[in-house]
Amino acid sequence: MKHELTLRIGPATFRIGSSWAAPVDQLARLYAAYPQASGTIADFTVRLQPTSLARRWVRPSIFITGDHGLADAAPMSLAHGLLAAEMGMNLQMALGWRRHLLLHASSVEKDGRVLVMTGESGSGKSTLAALLGERGWRLMGDEFALLDLDSGAILPFPRLVSLKNKAIDVVAAEVGDVRMGPLLRDTAKGDIRHMIPRGDAVARMDDGAMPRLLLFPRFGHDADVRAVGQGEIFMRLTQASTNYVALGEPGFAALARFVQAVPARAIDFPSGEAAFEMVERLWEELA
Amino acid sequence: MSAALLVRALRDPASVARLSAESWNGLIAVARAERLIGTLAHRLKGIMVPPSVAPILADARLDTMREARQALWEADRCVEALRGTGVRTILLKGTAYAAAELRAGQGRFIGDLDILVPRAAMPMVEKALMTAGWEWVKPDPYDDAYYRQWMHELPPMIHRTRDRMIDVHHTVLPLTARQTPDAAAMIADAVEITDGLYMLSAEDRIVHAAAHMLADGDLQGGLRNLWDIYCLLPDADPVVLEVRAAHHGLLPHVRQARRLAASLYGEGARLTLWDRLIRARLLARNGWGQETRKPLVFAFYIRSHWLRMPPHMLARHLWTKWRKGHRPQ
């Protein structure tokens, strides 16, 4: 392909090829602090290619695919090329990664112990992870938490943090423009802006740690903390995992161990500040 | 160029020792695109590969093991569903190779469950499968009627809870094709694998694979189909194979498949001009796993329809599909 870039993020290496320069240029800028990976053998190939011959030039339209693809994936405009590249990497992980149990979750670490947060899109887990990552925690990732099948550790996968809509201003105010990507307006999920994780998140992206607390955050409700039964946690995590079925018995064993060893709570919160305080308090009590 | 790299790695696994990082990336992307990564991983067992390649191959082996297990379970469920109908479960393609532990099944990607049943038994089989939880995938009445009238199989069905597809064939080529293989003879000569599972005889397996690859379809996945044929050939008696292929009206296809298999994966063969065109089509992929040689690929796509039905029918069919919004990829 005409433009390419190889990125290593945690244990996975991606070779990204694009028919257009812009997405690759943006990736190169935002991932500049990550380890040099060009010329290495990648785990996955990601391709950003036109949906048809003409659509390379006329109203450019990106089809996201690669080693693993979805035939009916919705095309994206070139203005959202950066998001397309990020989604391309997500797609490869979600469909192809087998070396760890993938949990659709954010994770942060403090004192060698990991807080895992999982919930549906819009639950606030990315925002929360981004804020914690600025305030004394190490950001491990906001999209996937990788659960090691043997050791039970959580491994970092610190990609750019994808912030949506109202969360953009909240986090940008705290982080500053230098570590923010371009504002992508009117994507399928509204406005999106990416944040570059802090230097320590990148520098320590090979350091895993044991999970000590699991939270199911939910944004937009009055503050509340609830216990969650182990059976329900197990079911919710199997639904939050894209490769649980593919891994078979080792995946089951690792997840069962995780659920038994890690205390969990569901938390509702009305604002980032409230959530921050709740998390700190629960961490003191439970972790 | 990169599809050639894959072919070379399958033919001569030791040849990967000299690959650059860029070539490895190309080899892996093409192997995944052609759904031959598991086969490649299997072939490269015991061969020294770079440290970053080893886990990729290990993952692929794991995936194919899971797929085989899943495929065999589906086959088992099918036997159970057909119990009481008196119809034997004759497995075709991947599931058959896995069940019989044939060389063609090692590391093979297995998609749907394909079975062959007598045409007269189709309504009974359909009913039994629906009772056991399979249901229709295609709600379109045109597609449904088209399948039933002209195809060699029922419209695909999917299992309600297991989400796995089954293709029920009553012969090996569409009824509109120029060749009319003797499905009854194939069914009569099927051999038992184990536990109520059957597969075609060693020679019919090759005839079927060659028909599937060369007399039907646009050669999508052709490298994998040809690898199957290459692996199946040592099990067949060459003389019986010729007789059998002729009986099914597919002798030229079987001979061509043998030439192509020998040329790409074996000791080499003298190719005709037509063989070379097919080889060029089979190798049409670049180092990013993308299809190249678009005009050639498109020509084979057109040809696949041409082979499937007479011109007036083809025109009507394409017109109907076009109106329904279908466009060639």
Side-chain angles (χ1 to χ4, degrees), chain A residues 1-6 15-19 39-47 49 53 66-68 96-99 245-249, chain B residues 19-22 24-26 28-30 32-33 50 52-53 55-57 59-60 62-63 66 69-70 285-291 294 329:
Chain A
M1 299 197 80
K2 223 169 161 190
H3 308 276
E4 68 169 288
L5 178 73
T6 302
R15 178 176 64 140
I16 301 145
S18 169
S19 301
T40 61
I41 300 170
D43 294 297
F44 295 118
T45 290
V46 177
R47 301 197 310 256
Q49 59 192 48
L53 226 54
D67 290 329
H68 306 277
W97 194 252
R98 298 287 182 261
R99 283 166 237 170
V245 173
L247 290 176
E249 198 178 337
Chain B
L19 293 183
S20 65
E22 193 191 344
W24 269 112
N25 280 328
I28 292 163
V30 172
R32 283 191 176 134
S52 45
V53 171
I56 294 174
L57 299 178
D59 285 352
L62 199 80
D63 275 346
R66 186 194 72 250
R69 192 162 60 225
Q70 229 169 11
R285 258 187 216 282
N286 67 18
W288 288 87
Q290 292 171 301
E291 231 165 30
K294 296 276 185 193
Q329 287 299 310

Side-chain angles (χ1 to χ4, degrees), chain A residues 103 105-108 114-118 145 154 211 213-216 258:
Chain A
L103 296 172
S106 64
S107 54
V108 291
V114 181
L115 163 65
V116 180
M117 294 175 281
T118 182
I154 296 290
L213 179 62
L214 170 67
L215 292 178
F216 296 95
F258 177 92

Side-chain angles (χ1 to χ4, degrees), chain A residues 96-211:
Chain A
W97 194 252
R98 298 287 182 261
R99 283 166 237 170
H100 308 95
L101 183 74
L102 277 179
L103 296 172
H104 185 58
S106 64
S107 54
V108 291
E109 176 257 3
K110 191 155 78 174
D111 303 329
R113 297 172 298 168
V114 181
L115 163 65
V116 180
M117 294 175 281
T118 182
E120 282 160 25
S121 187
S123 65
K125 64 181 188 315
S126 289
T127 317
L128 209 43
L131 286 177
L132 290 168
E134 300 301 311
R135 301 180 182 182
W137 298 68
R138 167 168 69 111
L139 178 80
M140 296 178 83
D142 91 308
E143 183 75 29
F144 290 120
L146 313 183
L147 175 61
D148 192 280
L149 299 172
D150 301 316
S151 71
I154 296 290
L155 298 182
F157 188 58
R159 300 260 305 284
L160 301 180
V161 178
S162 150
L163 300 162
K164 297 174 198 86
N165 303 317
K166 284 179 187 164
I168 295 173
D169 290 338
V170 175
V171 177
E174 188 134 346
V175 167
D177 262 354
V178 182
R179 276 175 46 214
M180 299 295 292
L183 178 64
L184 310 174
R185 285 189 195 283
D186 300 320
T187 75
K189 290 190 171 176
D191 294 350
I192 286 185
R193 201 170 173 194
H194 292 92
M195 184 201 92
I196 305 171
R198 264 174 31 163
D200 62 331
V202 179
R204 295 185 55 203
M205 69 182 196
D206 296 322
D207 300 349
M210 293 306 283

Side-chain angles (χ1 to χ4, degrees), chain B residues 147-158:
Chain B
Y147 261 94
R148 286 168 194 279
Q149 191 173 2
W150 298 115
M151 291 299 282
H152 50 308
E153 56 193 333
L154 284 175
M157 300 168 88
I158 198 159

